[in-house]
Amino acid sequence: MTTPSITVTYLFDPLCGWCYAAAPALNYLQGVEGIEVALAPTGLFAGAGARPMDAQFAAYAWANDQRIQQLTGQPFTQVYRDHILGAANGRFDSGPATLALTAVSQTAPERELDALHALQHARYVEGRDNADPVVIADVLNSLGLQAAAARLREPSDALRVALLERVAAARVTMQLLGAQGVPQLAVAGQGGALRLVGGDALLGPRDALLARVQAAAV
């Protein structure tokens, strides 16, 4: 088995629409021989970054989502608009999904990107609230990730600490590279030095993305 020579750390948030738009590009990179994709949740919309889903914010989000769909083709459905953006007393909070992904990273790390994409699809296509631990656990179970779902249902202190450590490490990486917002890629080659590849690369041609990643790893 070939040892990956390039590690690509994906700086993201589960509720970031542009990160959802980047999902096909992440799948592509994960399939390139010699490249390993590692997830680094930044907690952008968790904790202090979470907020109520009021009408004003819902309108802003839908306008932004429509722009993303027009530019990238990633679908944002009417059922998402009705059930998520239009939910009474809804919350815009990526904390539960980030906790779930941390549980996956502990139990089936090779499936974490699959879990992220399934949670994004559940929200933006199926109109299911991926800030709801019950919905998240159901999504994980549907992927065969029962161990992660069990950890999410009864989060241990160790799981919560692991979440905080992951978010802190991602934020240090962003600060180190001068990264603004998500999605972003931090690329490490055999020398170990990190270089930033901007999120715009994830939304363009695949060959150009690969070329930028390979160049950053030199």
Side-chain angles (χ1 to χ4, degrees):
M1 184 174 179
T2 303
T3 301
S5 57
I6 302 174
T7 298
V8 177
T9 299
Y10 179 46
L11 299 158
F12 74 99
D13 186 279
L15 293 191
C16 160
W18 290 106
C19 297
Y20 166 58
L26 267 294
N27 277 339
Y28 165 75
L29 281 179
Q30 190 179 50
V32 175
E33 185 176 359
I35 292 181
E36 178 181 17
V37 176
L39 272 62
T42 64
L44 181 62
F45 300 122
R51 56 166 297 151
M53 181 64 78
D54 56 35
Q56 182 178 4
F57 183 70
Y60 164 79
W62 181 247
N64 193 53
D65 295 337
Q66 292 305 286
R67 178 167 173 256
I68 295 170
Q69 180 170 304
Q70 289 167 4
L71 289 172
T72 70
Q74 284 287 80
F76 294 82
T77 65
Q78 187 65 38
V79 70
Y80 153 70
R81 185 183 189 185
D82 293 341
H83 292 181
I84 303 300
L85 300 184
N89 304 314
R91 289 280 297 170
F92 188 76
D93 182 1
S94 65
T98 305
L99 186 68
L101 292 171
T102 302
V104 176
S105 76
Q106 294 180 336
T107 56
E110 73 285 354
R111 300 291 308 284
E112 191 177 4
L113 192 60
D114 294 340
L116 170 60
H117 292 164
L119 288 170
Q120 290 168 328
H121 187 270
R123 180 182 185 86
Y124 297 117
V125 177
E126 299 173 351
R128 304 174 69 199
D129 185 6
N130 68 357
D132 181 343
V134 175
V135 171
I136 297 169
D138 185 62
V139 171
L140 295 181
N141 281 322
S142 74
L143 296 175
L145 298 171
Q146 284 81 6
R151 291 192 184 196
L152 179 66
R153 281 193 294 269
E154 297 183 11
S156 65
D157 289 342
L159 178 62
R160 296 188 187 281
V161 168
L163 166 64
L164 294 175
E165 289 176 345
R166 292 185 90 198
V167 168
R171 291 180 176 180
V172 167
T173 298
M174 291 188 73
Q175 186 174 20
L176 178 68
L177 296 176
Q180 300 294 321
V182 292
Q184 306 273 2
L185 300 178
V187 179
Q190 293 179 337
L194 289 177
R195 293 185 177 88
L196 184 69
V197 173
D200 61 301
L202 292 164
L203 305 175
R206 300 291 182 263
D207 55 350
L209 168 62
L210 181 58
R212 287 181 64 175
V213 167
Q214 291 172 333
V218 174

